[in-house]
Amino acid sequence: MSTPRGGTEEWQPVCRIVELEVERGATALVHGQAVAIFRTHDDTVYALGNHDPFAKASVLARGIVGTRGDVPFVASPMHKHAFDLRTGRCLDDQHVSVPAYDVRVVEGVVLVGHRKPDAA
Amino acid sequence: MTHLRKTLVVVGHGMVGHRLVQAAVERGLTETYDVVVVGEEPRPAYDRVALTSFFSVESADELSLLPEGRYDDPRVRLVLGTSVTGLDRETRKVVLSDGEVIGYDALVLATGAAPFVPPIEGRDQDGCFVYRTIEDLEAIREASATATRGVVIGGGLLGLEAANALVQLGLETHVVEMAPRLMPVQLDQAAGSTLVRHIEKLGVTVHTGAATTGILGDGRVTGLETADGTIEAEIVVFSAGIRPRDQLARDCGLDVAERGGVLVDEQCRTSDEHVFAVGECAAPGGTMYGLVAPGYAMAEVVVDVLLAGPGTFTGADMSTKLKLLGVDVASFGDAFAATEGSLELVFADAVAGIYKKLVVSEDGTRLLGGILVGDASAYGILRPMVATGTNPGIALPANPEDLILPASRGAGTTAGVVGMPDEAVVCSCNNVCKGDVLAAAADDATTRAGSTCGSCKPMVKALIEDFYAAQGRVVDKGLCEHFSLTRQELFDLVAVHGYRRFDDIVEAHGKGRGCDVCKPAIASILASQFNGHVLDHETTALQDTNDAFLANIQRNGTYSVVPRIPGGEITPEKLIVIGEVARDFGLYTKITGGQRIDLFGARMEELPAIWQRLVDAGFESGHAYGKALRTVKSCVGSTWCRYGVQDSVGLAIALELRYRGLRSPHKLKGGVSGCARECAEARGKDFGVIATEKGWNLYVGGNGGATPAHARLLAGDLDTETLLRYLDRFLMYYIRTADRLQRTAPWIDSLEGGLDRVREVVVEDSLGLGAELEDAMARHVGSYFDEWKATLEDPEKIARFVSFVNAPGVPDPNITFSTERGQIKPETSAEPVVLGPTIPVGAP
């Protein structure tokens, strides 16, 4: 899979953090790609590719956010596969992962950066 | 060149004759044989076993086993409406009633059997019928138009089928059986009595030990005379057994059995090597088999023999499992404990109408047979365990009674699994047996059991729990890693402490930040107790995607929209609105099994606009997305149906409106039937109501799903007010005490005392909880509002329905459709789709 990088801008602003509900996802369009943005209970923001590789549908942002041990994760709404919000790694199948993106929050604005190096 | 084609003539085109021709085509016998099959009836073979359903199907074609009226193979010729009048074994020729003469190399008699009409005085009058062919049923139906009462002579399998037919025709129905019990061939006295109680509940009067002494009337039947008195009736149906139709064989000197039937050997060959006989006209080894399955086996044997195969017929399994007038009945193996030294284990629950008997060998290690009435769910497990002459069966567990005791007595189906031998297959999708599961549990490994259809998960769970418990390890019944409490315990904690927020609950009683298991469970508990909006600030992050977007997510990430159509009744105007909305938004439409209309393929951001149109037209949310009441299905009832005795539509609408929006541990469905014909399939629902002349019968605990269960009678002949009271109590009791995602049927089984316990709490109010449960339901009913209307009125809630937070007008490029049968169909994208380098902001 090619790394979607698109435009030249390093960080793309997508929304204000207050627009994100706690422990709920939202979808943003970043470099032509659907990206799922999550805000956890401690106000950390994560970004993953929105495409569920098991169900082959663009839905991850609509999953339930929680923890497994210390790992923050989202459960896909399709078949409940869990993905690590930090790395995009699937917690139920170590051979599968979704892209994870760098995120910064600057003055209340959520910025999505490059895709993180593959964790798997 | 002696490769001349041969001719096989089959006399009779019933179920067995048809099966024989089918096997001949499939197995290549027609490569060397031309087949001529001669049928006496005007139509090709049909499903005689399902004869009674003739009244509920559109036409006789639906029962047909050969709807095209011909076989695909041109070497098979089907001659209908014609009988074989002569058989010359010397010249090997048959003569047909139309004069045609056909030579044969092999001949198969498949002439079946005819109903036996005992020589009772008056039996030739108008109004007397037999029950065998579609023509018989048509005649009975015609006569029923001017009749009000009918009697069936004979309380065997077929007699009860015939009684069912009379009930369906709206007749006051009696069954007269000479033996002291119903189904004397299959059932013992106690099982027969249990069956009588079930059948009498349906309004059929049963007279056992009653010999018919005469048919009354003066050319037209007016009644029936027995030793005990007379029964008035305008219709009499004889169902006193069948006799093999072996006249053709007798006429040409073939050997016949002492009690009738063409005598055949293990290859189904008669005393003439060119002539075979199969099915009910045959008597292999002198025994005639009055079931279709042995007939099918014989048909296969003959084809095998003609192909020079080794086929033999050495007797048949006479096990039967069927639903008679809606009652489960099964009888298998040595049901009457005829084996020397055999022992009987019996479980009987007269209140629930359940009788189960196992016949086991003297040493208790082998299952020899059994009878099940009222609940035949164990048949699937028991049947393969039965030992027969040559087959040792599967060894019985140490406590065989667990196989028939109900779950509430500490056993039941899953306990039956625990007691099963290691070779027993638990997961048939992946062929995983019990031993595999236990071995995997011992190694902390996994199997593929439960990974395909999931229906065996409860059994696998029971096995693993039992395995760990045996090792002294505690099995955690908690919800998930965040809560060691059960759903019921959490429900009580929320009620006692008045929690409204997940955060408070997890901080006080759990750990971590929750997950996809505990969050929706707590959302459901909060909704059941306080009935707030599921998208309220406190609960919105807890909801599964369906509740979060008030629609059902489908395979490509689009949603389906299901407006409520209470009881399935809808005005033409509203139907048109649904059609217009579907057309304008390009949605796929389908009528659902719950009498509503599904609109598929809505993008999440389209949902508010779609619902605005529907709400404006007076629709409200159907809660198809929620673990909540879905529908209350109904038949048309007494308003339109000539059989209906109560207004099932009116009641179904009232119930659906009363319980709409009720959040529960699992989705809930109801049904109301206007008479015992049960056209609403109410007994397949969590709560089912069936109209009687005197009021309503209330059934509970029916489910579709992976382990279908029939609802069982909770209380009978209720007035509407009492019905509502019982239903309020039942539903609230379930909501308070069931496990997460536990349907009503397993919930009832999980209670100590099972259905009896439910009856104590709901009907007898033995816990004094009745008023409280009713109050809780009254609060729900009083606080109901339409979730979609409220969502449309709240900009904050609506704000979530956007495709992209930074490009709300751009549709997700991952969602695409193709078309099939003129409507859209979802396409999946294996890879995420990338929009072009420039974002077409604002473009649709």
Side-chain angles (χ1 to χ4, degrees), chain B residues 270-292:
Chain B
T270 67
S271 48
D272 178 335
E273 63 171 332
H274 299 290
V275 180
F276 298 81
V278 294
E280 290 176 339
C281 70
T287 307
M288 176 216 177
Y289 296 87
L291 291 175
V292 75

Side-chain angles (χ1 to χ4, degrees), chain B residues 678-722:
Chain B
E678 250 285 66
C679 295
E681 293 157 335
R683 290 194 64 198
K685 305 288 187 283
D686 297 282
F687 60 90
V689 181
I690 301 176
T692 70
E693 299 281 353
K694 291 174 248 170
W696 307 104
N697 282 352
L698 173 58
Y699 294 82
V700 294
N703 287 141
T707 317
H710 238 74
R712 291 181 283 160
L713 186 70
L714 185 69
D717 296 331
L718 307 171
D719 59 55
T720 306
E721 192 190 334
T722 311

Side-chain angles (χ1 to χ4, degrees), chain B residues 608-788:
Chain B
I610 290 170
W611 272 105
Q612 189 67 60
R613 292 265 299 268
L614 293 170
V615 167
D616 287 348
F619 285 105
E620 57 182 42
S621 169
H623 294 99
Y625 46 81
K627 298 296 180 217
L629 178 85
R630 296 290 175 86
T631 62
V632 180
K633 188 173 178 176
S634 69
C635 62
V636 289
S638 57
T639 318
W640 286 96
C641 174
R642 65 196 165 119
Y643 299 121
V645 293
Q646 305 274 357
D647 176 15
S648 57
V649 179
L651 183 69
I653 292 173
L655 294 180
E656 185 161 340
L657 296 181
R658 183 170 184 80
Y659 301 126
R660 64 189 160 174
L662 183 66
R663 291 296 203 285
S664 44
H666 206 290
K667 64 184 173 185
L668 277 172
K669 293 178 188 173
V672 183
S673 280
C675 78
R677 275 168 200 76
E678 250 285 66
C679 295
E681 293 157 335
R683 290 194 64 198
K685 305 288 187 283
D686 297 282
F687 60 90
V689 181
I690 301 176
T692 70
E693 299 281 353
K694 291 174 248 170
W696 307 104
N697 282 352
L698 173 58
Y699 294 82
V700 294
N703 287 141
T707 317
H710 238 74
R712 291 181 283 160
L713 186 70
L714 185 69
D717 296 331
L718 307 171
D719 59 55
T720 306
E721 192 190 334
T722 311
L723 175 82
L724 289 183
R725 199 163 68 234
Y726 288 175
L727 259 178
D728 284 359
R729 292 176 180 179
F730 171 78
L731 291 172
M732 270 300 163
Y733 184 36
Y734 164 65
I735 286 169
R736 287 192 169 192
T737 61
D739 259 344
R740 184 185 84 90
L741 301 184
Q742 188 176 37
R743 290 172 184 262
T744 50
W747 167 68
I748 292 171
D749 285 344
S750 75
L751 295 172
E752 181 101 15
L755 185 66
D756 290 342
R757 180 61 174 170
V758 176
R759 196 176 286 117
E760 283 167 22
V761 172
V762 169
V763 178
E764 295 154 27
D765 197 11
S766 61
L767 295 182
L769 267 177
E772 193 188 323
L773 297 172
E774 288 167 42
D775 285 350
M777 188 61 81
R779 280 196 300 278
H780 164 76
V781 174
S783 63
Y784 172 81
F785 57 88
D786 174 32
E787 276 167 3
W788 260 111

Side-chain angles (χ1 to χ4, degrees), chain B residues 241-309:
Chain B
I242 53 173
R243 293 291 181 267
R245 298 185 57 191
D246 54 12
Q247 196 58 46
L248 197 58
R250 287 175 190 270
D251 291 346
C252 66
L254 290 170
D255 291 349
V256 292
E258 204 172 312
R259 303 178 60 187
V262 188
L263 206 56
V264 296
D265 63 13
E266 289 189 346
Q267 300 198 314
C268 296
R269 213 184 285 266
T270 67
S271 48
D272 178 335
E273 63 171 332
H274 299 290
V275 180
F276 298 81
V278 294
E280 290 176 339
C281 70
T287 307
M288 176 216 177
Y289 296 87
L291 291 175
V292 75
Y296 280 174
M298 289 182 231
E300 298 281 351
V301 165
V302 170
V303 172
D304 202 47
V305 168
L306 292 175
L307 287 165

